[in-house]
Amino acid sequence: MQKISVLLFLVWVCFLFYAGIALFTSGFLLTRLELTNHSSCQEPPGPGPLPWRSQGEPGACWMASRFSRVVLVLIDALRFDFAQPQRSHVPGEPSVSLPFLGKLGFLQRILESQPHHARLYQSKADPPTTTMQRLKALTTGSLPTFIDAGSNFASYAIVEDNLIKQLSSAGRRVVFMGDDTWKDLFPGAFSQAFFFSSFNVRDLHTVDNGIMEHLYPTMDTGEWDVLIAHFLGVDHCGHKHGPHHPEMAKKLSQMDQVIQGIVERLGNDTLLVVIGDHGMTKSGDHGGDSELETSAALFLYSPTALFLRPPPQEPEVVPQISLVPTLALLLGLPIPFGNIGEVMAELFSVVEDSQPHSSALGQATALYLNAQQVFRFLHTYSAAAQDLQVKEFHRLNNLFSKASADYLRLLQSPQGAEAALQTVITELQEFLRGVRAMCIESWARFSLSFLLLHLLAAGIPITTPGPFTVPWQAVSAWALMAAQTFYSTGHQPVFPTIHWHAAFVGFPEGHGSSTWLPALLVGANTFASHLLFAVGCPLLLLWPFLCESQGSQKRRQPHGNEAEARAGPEEEEAAPLMEMRLRDAPHHFNVALLQLGLKYLFVLGIQILACALAASILRRHLMVWKVFAPKFIFEALGFIVSSVGLFLGLALVMRVDGAVSSWFQQLVLAQQR
């Protein structure tokens, strides 16, 4: 067998594994078809007429705007308990003193002094809790794909309908300042922008100070309709020091002062939104689905009254994507086409009117428009992709038809129907929440096609006889040593434990705008054990010679000098010639390389297959996005890195073998002369 044949055959085997990984990923991990449809004021959100409140008002779209301006302050990694008001100390209970508690005192004072103007929510983010996926969800109202976590290094323009595109289409002036991730997600969408590099997690102040340099002057000019400020200091402080460090207290206090300065400059027609895109773990990391990572703060404030009722005792928990349809309708914009979020209904109560009926009708109207838009998206999506659950889809379709008919019937006789309106509100909310649950369920289904390709790959004969056979124990131990080294060097197959600091080894000042180099450094740090052991795998060809040498020593050792005397010259001459057998049978050497490569790929493939089976069996488990899906992703990436390293190692050994063969032939010719 020729060397090129060995490499080509191994390439074909790897292709089977790669295809299996790709098919399983597309069937198991949260994936969906991204539609490019866009909502517009010229088209209704769905079947049926527009509500009566949406017609006859200047500048009205689906619903008349309540605010003409919005200030969106995105504090990266603003965990909910960072903003949660601190209750007075109860006698007899130990006081809790943590650096991050009670540092947003201005928010707490507003919540206490103006309960009808401000409200704090607990915003629940969908995993993965990486910044790019959260920004996509916060602007499109859709669910991020889990596999997109790898795109957090290099973001691409959002093709789906989103709030930024709707604002631009409506002629609104959008000014942005902060994290430069927005530049890649929304190229050319801002009337004015001040971007700052976001990747240097050791830098706590450059981005925040840059924003504050432009924030207040921009607000004072009035040449904006939507102002977005994305602060990074809290997130970077978490990565560098963790949430329990005194630096976190300083950062939160700084953010509190920023919010106070913004509130002092707000007009009556302006809404302030302060939100965290995700939380952080006790170590300051994020990316998974733990309670601390998915729990973020959402604070709303307006100089005019927003809420009809005072806040509840415990802050309400709302899905993070609910902000998208809420902001769209409050600004008089169409809800983005692919949104599956539910409007925050209490923001659409008629505060000026004390009649409960008017308040309920305002909430029902917003929910009805939201439900129409989601219903339209579902039907468009189901026509383009066949991955929605048919039975649940029909149930939700019937639920929407009933709620829509009840709402339109109430519009004909609106007086004295508060109880009926509450029923309609409940039906519409049930429909919207059912759609979100169905989408999560449908976009996380398991595909059996992966198993077929793995069975094909596993069925390849790898027991080719030869004099240089490496035993299965040695190959398995080598693969297990690679896994053991991965863990012993402090790595774990979950996103929050990735060693991000590796990106700055040799680059203490950061990388500027480059994302590929830090991604390469982090990847090399994470999968170094896979690469090194794969490159060194061909060294296992020495295993038979090592075993034979040890066996010879054991046979000679018990007999001492007498045995050495009986060994004679034949055995002494045989020992140094063991490695030279490679030269006596070069075709056997190539077969041995093929056999070793197939065995190593088979062991790695078994590991991936085990992860895939565990993930598929437990795909409805609460830990799927925290443990099983990340484990599969790490194993899949580890297999790809290992296969590439194996090819490099085999190519290097073949190159050395070719050089040694040439030297050996010259040596034989010289001896013959």
Side-chain angles (χ1 to χ4, degrees):
M1 179 175 287
Q2 300 298 318
K3 291 182 173 63
I4 188 65
S5 301
V6 171
L7 294 177
L8 289 177
F9 189 78
L10 289 176
V11 167
W12 178 72
V13 173
C14 283
F15 170 76
L16 290 179
F17 280 106
Y18 293 163
I21 291 171
L23 284 174
F24 181 84
T25 299
S26 64
F28 174 75
L29 296 180
L30 187 60
T31 55
R32 58 183 172 82
L33 176 67
E34 293 188 349
L35 302 179
T36 57
N37 306 59
H38 292 82
S39 301
S40 68
C41 292
Q42 290 71 35
E43 298 178 359
L50 288 173
W52 62 273
R53 292 188 61 199
S54 305
Q55 302 171 357
E57 298 188 30
C61 187
W62 296 355
M63 174 178 280
S65 62
R66 186 171 178 183
F67 296 97
S68 58
R69 289 183 171 182
V70 167
V71 177
L72 175 60
V73 178
L74 178 58
I75 302 178
D76 209 297
L78 182 64
R79 206 168 70 188
F80 173 70
D81 56 350
F82 290 178
Q84 188 175 19
Q86 299 303 300
R87 293 176 172 80
S88 58
H89 176 59
V90 179
E93 293 185 3
S95 59
V96 179
S97 178
L98 296 173
F100 57 79
L101 292 179
K103 294 303 180 288
L104 297 179
F106 180 73
L107 262 64
Q108 184 169 354
R109 291 194 295 272
I110 287 186
L111 291 168
E112 294 173 352
S113 61
Q114 303 183 55
H116 295 282
H117 296 250
R119 190 63 51 90
L120 177 67
Y121 298 91
Q122 183 178 353
S123 173
K124 297 298 291 185
D126 296 292
T129 49
T130 47
T131 295
M132 192 273 284
Q133 285 68 42
R134 295 294 89 233
L135 295 182
K136 291 178 68 174
L138 280 169
T139 54
T140 64
S142 60
L143 295 174
T145 55
F146 193 83
I147 199 64
D148 270 353
S151 302
N152 204 46
F153 284 112
S155 306
Y156 301 98
I158 295 177
V159 298
E160 293 180 281
D161 195 8
N162 57 80
L163 277 178
I164 305 301
K165 187 181 293 292
Q166 289 293 340
L167 288 165
S168 179
S169 300
R172 308 290 181 91
R173 297 165 297 178
V174 184
V175 178
F176 176 83
M177 50 193 71
D179 186 348
D180 60 354
T181 302
W182 292 71
K183 177 174 61 176
D184 299 321
L185 295 177
F186 309 100
F190 305 110
S191 60
Q192 191 177 10
F194 307 94
F195 296 113
F196 303 93
S197 178
S198 61
F199 195 80
N200 190 354
V201 296
R202 297 185 177 183
D203 185 355
L204 308 186
H205 307 293
T206 299
V207 176
D208 293 358
N209 293 342
I211 293 174
M212 289 186 289
E213 180 182 348
H214 301 284
L215 180 59
Y216 300 142
T218 302
M219 292 188 68
D220 294 337
T221 62
E223 297 178 356
W224 56 276
D225 297 305
V226 176
L227 196 156
I228 304 173
H230 186 167
F231 291 89
L232 289 175
V234 172
D235 179 67
H236 287 187
C237 184
H239 285 297
K240 185 176 181 179
H241 301 294
H244 298 83
H245 196 275
E247 283 295 327
M248 183 62 75
K250 296 179 182 178
K251 262 299 159 191
L252 292 173
S253 298
Q254 183 187 36
M255 294 298 100
D256 193 53
Q257 295 174 7
V258 169
I259 295 170
Q260 181 175 357
I262 293 175
V263 169
E264 293 171 353
R265 292 168 170 81
L266 289 181
N268 290 333
D269 62 343
T270 306
L271 173 68
L272 171 63
V273 180
V274 180
I275 189 171
D277 56 343
H278 52 74
M280 64 174 67
T281 63
K282 293 181 179 180
S283 62
D285 299 308
H286 58 90
D289 70 340
S290 68
E291 177 67 22
L292 293 178
E293 292 170 276
T294 59
S295 177
L298 170 59
F299 173 78
L300 302 178
Y301 172 79
S302 172
T304 58
L306 268 175
F307 305 97
L308 189 63
R309 298 179 179 83
Q313 285 291 99
E314 292 294 330
E316 182 182 352
V317 179
V318 298
Q320 194 177 69
I321 58 176
S322 295
L323 185 64
V324 174
T326 303
L327 284 182
L329 293 183
L330 288 176
L331 292 172
L333 298 171
I335 301 175
F337 189 91
N339 165 75
I340 59 171
E342 173 192 341
V343 293
M344 300 161 67
E346 65 175 339
L347 286 166
F348 297 90
S349 303
V350 183
V351 181
E352 298 83 4
D353 194 336
S354 59
Q355 295 296 323
H357 177 272
S358 299
S359 174
L361 184 59
Q363 295 182 26
T365 299
L367 287 167
Y368 174 66
L369 289 169
N370 188 188
Q372 281 186 304
Q373 168 265 316
V374 172
F375 181 81
R376 179 185 63 177
F377 165 72
L378 277 186
H379 275 264
T380 305
Y381 186 90
S382 63
Q386 306 300 319
D387 56 2
L388 295 178
Q389 300 175 21
V390 177
K391 184 177 180 180
E392 181 67 9
F393 180 81
H394 287 307
R395 186 189 74 84
L396 292 171
N397 188 43
N398 295 333
L399 180 60
F400 172 78
S401 299
K402 181 179 183 303
S404 179
D406 292 344
Y407 172 78
L408 294 175
R409 184 170 57 253
L410 286 172
L411 290 184
Q412 305 301 322
S413 55
Q415 299 301 322
E418 183 182 355
L421 273 173
Q422 291 297 334
T423 301
V424 170
I425 289 174
T426 301
E427 291 175 345
L428 292 171
Q429 288 177 331
E430 182 183 351
F431 166 74
L432 291 168
R433 293 167 188 177
V435 168
R436 182 171 180 270
M438 181 188 68
C439 289
I440 294 176
E441 183 86 2
S442 299
W443 294 336
R445 288 192 301 174
F446 171 63
S447 172
L448 288 173
S449 54
F450 171 82
L451 296 178
L452 177 61
L453 283 181
H454 260 288
L455 290 175
L456 290 175
I460 295 174
I462 54 176
T463 57
T464 307
F468 313 113
T469 302
V470 180
W472 278 103
Q473 304 93 302
V475 179
S476 300
W478 194 259
L480 291 175
M481 285 175 63
Q484 190 274 339
T485 305
F486 174 82
Y487 288 101
S488 64
T489 50
H491 296 91
Q492 296 182 38
V494 288
F495 293 113
T497 61
I498 294 177
H499 295 182
W500 300 108
H501 61 271
F504 304 98
V505 175
F507 301 88
E509 303 301 325
H511 306 272
S513 60
S514 172
T515 56
W516 290 109
L517 181 57
L520 183 63
L521 291 173
V522 173
N525 176 273
T526 304
F527 297 104
S529 61
H530 297 77
L531 183 63
L532 292 176
F533 277 87
V535 171
C537 184
L539 294 176
L540 291 176
L541 285 177
L542 299 177
W543 180 273
F545 305 135
L546 179 63
C547 294
E548 183 176 349
S549 176
Q550 290 178 345
S552 300
Q553 293 177 3
K554 289 180 180 179
R555 288 193 300 269
R556 292 195 301 265
Q557 187 174 0
H559 302 283
N561 296 332
E562 181 181 355
E564 290 181 6
R566 291 199 305 263
E570 295 182 0
E571 187 171 335
E572 292 179 359
E573 293 179 0
L577 290 177
M578 286 190 301
E579 288 80 355
M580 290 299 103
R581 297 176 194 171
L582 297 173
R583 307 277 61 80
D584 297 335
H587 60 286
H588 286 163
F589 175 67
N590 294 337
V591 170
L593 284 177
L594 174 62
Q595 182 180 2
L596 176 60
L598 288 174
K599 284 184 176 180
Y600 195 69
L601 291 175
F602 182 84
V603 173
L604 297 178
I606 288 295
Q607 295 178 2
I608 303 176
L609 183 59
C611 288
L613 289 173
S616 62
I617 295 171
L618 301 169
R619 63 189 181 279
R620 300 292 177 246
H621 196 282
L622 293 176
M623 299 286 283
V624 64
W625 300 121
K626 183 176 182 179
V627 177
F628 306 118
K631 172 64 174 174
F632 169 74
I633 291 176
F634 273 79
E635 284 292 345
L637 292 176
F639 177 85
I640 294 173
V641 172
S642 297
S643 61
V644 172
L646 181 64
F647 281 115
L648 291 176
L650 292 175
L652 178 62
V653 168
M654 289 178 177
R655 179 69 182 90
V656 172
D657 177 64
V660 172
S661 297
S662 177
W663 171 79
F664 188 73
Q665 291 176 359
Q666 294 177 4
L667 183 63
V668 170
L669 291 175
Q671 290 179 346
Q672 291 177 351
R673 295 195 191 100

